[in-house]
Each structure stands twice: as C-alpha cells, then as structure tokens.
Amino acid sequence: MEARIHNGDYIPDGLGGIVRCQGADALLERVLFRLTARRGGLPLLPRLGSRLYLLGREPAARRLSAARQYVAEALAEEDVTVTDVILAPEAPGRVRVRVLLDYHGAELAVDVTI
C-alpha cells in the first residue's frame, strides 16, 4: 500500500494516520512521485526521480524526445509500460506532461506540470 499525496503532502485520514491506496491507485502515486522528484536529489537513492525539470533547457524541437527519455528513465523500475508522452504548453515557461500508461491491460494517465 502506498501513501496518497496531494500537492506534495500526505493526506491525513482523520485518525492520526495517512490515507493509503492499493492496486492501480498505488501505482499512480508511485509514478507521480517518480516523475516529480528530481533525479539525483536523494543522495541514498540517486536513480530515483526524473530529469523532467530539465525540459526548459532543451531546444523546442528536442523537448518531446527528451521528455520521453526522462519518463522512461524514471519509470524503468515500475511494472508499467509507457505508451505515449504528450507535451502541452501551460503558462509561460511551464509545460504539462501527460504520460499514458498500460498497467496489466488497463490504460492510465498521469499529468505533471513542469
């Protein structure tokens, strides 16, 4: 079971603990964590996280291929197949990364704003 996170913080269950989830919901929580954590930011877990925060440094023509590479690196240890990565501009200097996943035949999607 995974802890549910909202806006970067755990969600309290009202009983002194935190809300937990299972199955596909737990996978989505792990995926979201792996995509938003900066790769190399945790000294004891240097391969945890993604390099999506570097997308702004990439030339526009290379951003999509870089995003696909960064997502694949971040999710390599998860039992999930990345079927597509879609970029959509948001505010100036911000981009929404939509990651489409196949998890045991179920189609899932995760959105991250960078």
Side-chain angles (χ1 to χ4, degrees):
M1 290 200 326
E2 299 294 322
R4 188 169 299 265
I5 298 173
H6 181 71
N7 291 333
D9 204 358
Y10 296 111
I11 301 172
D13 66 2
L15 301 172
I18 55 176
V19 175
R20 300 209 173 261
C21 52
Q22 301 178 39
D25 288 336
L27 171 80
L28 289 174
E29 291 295 326
R30 286 193 312 273
V31 165
L32 191 58
F33 181 77
R34 286 180 180 275
L35 292 176
T36 56
R38 288 185 174 213
R39 190 173 190 91
L42 299 170
L44 298 177
L45 299 168
R47 294 179 40 165
L48 180 70
S50 78
R51 294 187 295 153
L52 285 172
Y53 68 95
L54 298 173
L55 277 181
R57 298 180 187 173
E58 295 290 340
R62 183 161 151 42
R63 257 183 221 142
L64 181 58
S65 63
R68 287 181 174 147
Q69 177 184 346
Y70 299 159
V71 167
E73 287 174 357
L75 302 182
E77 296 178 14
E78 289 294 337
D79 181 24
V80 67
T81 302
V82 177
T83 57
D84 202 3
V85 175
I86 302 165
L87 299 181
E90 291 233 328
R94 313 255 319 148
V95 64
R96 181 172 50 96
V97 181
R98 173 165 269 226
V99 180
L100 303 177
L101 307 165
D102 178 47
Y103 177 63
H104 301 289
E107 293 180 13
L108 305 171
V110 174
D111 291 319
V112 177
T113 300
I114 305 297

